[in-house]
Amino acid sequence: MTDTTTPITFTPERLAKAQEIIARYPAGKQKSALLPLLHLAQEQYGWVSSDVMDYVAGLLSILPIEVYEVASFYTMFHLDPVGKHVIEYCRTGPCCLMGGEDVYGHLKQKLGIDTGETTPDGKFTLKEVECLAACGWGPVFQIREKYYMNLTNGKVDEIIEELSKD
């Protein structure tokens, strides 16, 4: 979580990594490093606040709005604080046709939160996203890089129980 009293800066290791990434691109083309730098920032802070985006803009010598445009376009970047496990749930037609609305309702009830909310213990945040490109295996949700497919209420219960342990 970003603390407004502490200046935003990468750890020395992340800053070295950021400089390595920026150096991959020719002079004047450093904006090409924007996505990897946003990933580094989110790894460090858990989300990308406007202060973090301003810091990334400074590293790349670009306008902050250029960072805001990119960060707000991609659902993989969290613009608000999130829980430890961000559940990105597919809400498009194929998943809904395969029972996704019922499973999604069960998930919200199980967690006691609605879309865009985080559980009081800070473990789970629920986000609706557009197609996760797993239409043949719906209903589907994604947590980080892992897809959970062919979801049922029972599978949701098992997944939440397992993730609640850590």
Side-chain angles (χ1 to χ4, degrees):
M1 185 180 252
T2 340
D3 173 4
T4 55
T5 61
T6 305
I8 301 296
T9 185
F10 279 144
T11 62
E13 299 80 19
R14 279 196 178 84
L15 185 56
K17 181 69 174 172
Q19 291 167 340
E20 173 193 320
I21 291 167
I22 294 167
R24 294 176 190 164
Y25 302 99
K29 302 294 182 188
Q30 68 276 5
K31 185 177 178 181
S32 300
L34 180 53
L35 288 174
L37 264 58
L38 283 170
H39 282 291
L40 283 177
Q42 187 161 277
E43 284 173 15
Q44 180 167 325
Y45 293 103
W47 63 295
V48 286
S49 67
S50 57
D51 289 340
V52 170
M53 289 186 269
D54 291 349
Y55 174 72
V56 169
L59 289 175
L60 295 173
S61 301
I62 60 176
L63 297 174
I65 189 64
E66 295 177 271
V67 180
Y68 301 165
E69 290 169 340
V70 171
S72 64
F73 177 79
Y74 291 104
T75 60
M76 64 190 152
F77 297 117
H78 310 303
L79 304 180
D80 294 301
V82 293
K84 181 176 182 178
H85 304 289
V86 178
I87 301 172
E88 296 179 303
Y89 197 90
C90 180
R91 294 286 292 156
T92 53
C95 279
C96 289
L97 286 172
M98 298 174 80
E101 289 181 338
D102 291 335
V103 173
Y104 190 51
H106 176 76
L107 175 62
K108 291 193 290 188
Q109 181 180 10
K110 174 111 180 130
L111 295 175
I113 59 173
D114 208 342
T115 303
E117 296 178 344
T118 299
T119 55
D121 62 5
K123 287 202 177 204
F124 299 97
T125 296
L126 197 53
K127 286 178 78 173
E128 289 183 1
V129 296
E130 290 303 313
C131 187
L132 289 171
C135 300
W137 299 279
V140 176
F141 64 62
Q142 178 180 1
I143 301 175
R144 286 177 292 286
E145 294 80 29
K146 185 170 182 179
Y147 274 50
Y148 296 86
M149 301 179 282
N150 299 308
L151 293 170
T152 63
N153 292 349
K155 282 184 179 181
V156 165
D157 291 345
E158 290 171 15
I159 293 163
I160 298 304
E161 182 178 325
E162 185 62 32
L163 292 174
S164 293
K165 292 177 184 175
D166 58 14

